[in-house]
Amino acid sequence: MQDDRIIDAARQQIVAAGLKMIEQKMIAGSWGNLSIKINTSCCAITPSGRSYDSLNTEDIVVVDMQGNKIEGALIPSSETPLHLAVYEAIPEAQAIVHTHSIYASACAAMHKPIPALIEDLVQIIGGSVDVAEYALPGTEALAANAVKALQNKKAALLANHGVVCWGSSLNSALMTAEIVEKAAQIYCICETMGGAKLLPEADIAVMHDFYKQHYSKRQTEKGDEVLG
């Protein structure tokens, strides 16, 4: 019964987040995907080939950590291997957002990392957003390359594709995707104006540590990090 309530809450959050991503132009049509880890055995994930403005809670699929469907009538996202690989490699990850936002995707298409140029980016990421080596969408190779690029960070660019972000909740993963897109846009603008001046490495470490030790905990106290 407890898992049923958690699954229902996760499905509702995913549907709401999908609509928000459309409003923010972070996805188009059925591209991109979202998931929430229910427990160590399964996660809820968006279905394949369905537009986010037409999704309802019953459309969200539940799969086990081997990718087998447990609940739902639809086919799970083709990027399910990516989500499962991140959950396996990063135990702290409780939700994942994969977007095709324009500026982050532009950086991914150029195979250019988003450098440490604004404070909110380094607070969350701890430095640059690096580029995963190219692989075909939906493949185990893409998943492995993404995990390698993430390392100790909450976001990575997928070469010629988009961006993947994780968080301790769907809200925090979505916030990270928003910050990455903003930083990518600033970076692209700076590149046309002579280039950005990057933050000092020592300051990056201080700001990232402050976020981890203090600010993220304040978000948790406000309920931003809690499922359901």
Side-chain angles (χ1 to χ4, degrees):
M1 183 67 70
Q2 178 66 22
D3 280 355
D4 288 344
R5 288 197 295 267
I6 294 173
I7 289 170
D8 288 344
R11 283 171 155 164
Q12 291 171 17
Q13 288 187 47
I14 289 171
V15 169
L19 292 174
K20 183 176 182 181
M21 288 167 66
I22 288 176
E23 292 173 0
Q24 296 178 332
K25 296 182 175 19
M26 298 180 73
I27 52 176
S30 61
W31 281 266
N33 31 78
L34 309 109
S35 71
I36 292 177
K37 188 176 179 180
I38 304 300
N39 52 42
T40 56
S41 301
C42 65
C43 69
I45 191 165
T46 45
S48 177
R50 291 298 181 100
S51 178
Y52 288 88
D53 57 8
S54 65
L55 282 181
N56 56 55
T57 54
E58 291 77 17
D59 294 328
I60 307 304
V61 186
V62 180
V63 298
D64 66 19
M65 290 309 182
Q66 289 71 49
N68 302 306
K69 185 166 65 173
I70 298 174
E71 292 186 25
L74 302 179
I75 299 171
S77 169
S78 61
E79 293 295 358
T80 296
L82 169 64
H83 291 247
L84 299 181
V86 174
Y87 287 133
E88 181 179 5
I90 307 172
E92 312 95 284
Q94 297 297 313
I96 295 167
V97 172
H98 165 45
T99 78
H100 293 177
S101 54
I102 293 172
Y103 286 93
S105 296
C107 293
M110 294 186 291
H111 294 207
K112 283 192 172 184
I114 303 168
L117 75 172
I118 54 172
E119 295 175 358
D120 46 9
L121 181 74
V122 302
Q123 286 173 4
I124 295 174
I125 303 299
S128 61
V129 182
D130 300 324
V131 184
E133 186 177 348
Y134 174 78
L136 282 169
T139 62
E140 298 288 349
L142 175 70
N145 293 348
V147 166
K148 183 178 179 181
L150 283 167
Q151 296 184 12
N152 295 319
K153 297 178 179 179
K154 288 189 173 182
L157 300 177
L158 306 176
N160 303 94
H161 191 155
V163 60
V164 61
C165 307
W166 67 267
S168 57
S169 72
L170 189 56
N171 282 342
S172 64
L174 186 57
M175 177 185 67
T176 298
E178 293 167 356
I179 295 298
V180 168
E181 176 63 8
K182 185 185 83 167
Q185 183 173 6
I186 292 170
Y187 174 54
C188 290
I189 292 170
C190 288
E191 284 293 278
T192 68
M193 301 172 66
K197 302 296 184 183
L198 304 187
L199 290 164
E201 288 292 332
D203 290 355
I204 291 171
V206 169
M207 287 186 283
H208 185 52
D209 183 67
F210 175 81
Y211 179 82
K212 290 192 299 181
Q213 299 300 324
H214 302 286
Y215 196 71
S216 63
K217 293 177 181 178
R218 295 172 193 170
Q219 290 177 326
T220 303
E221 290 168 2
K222 291 163 58 180
D224 291 343
E225 305 285 340
V226 179
L227 174 65

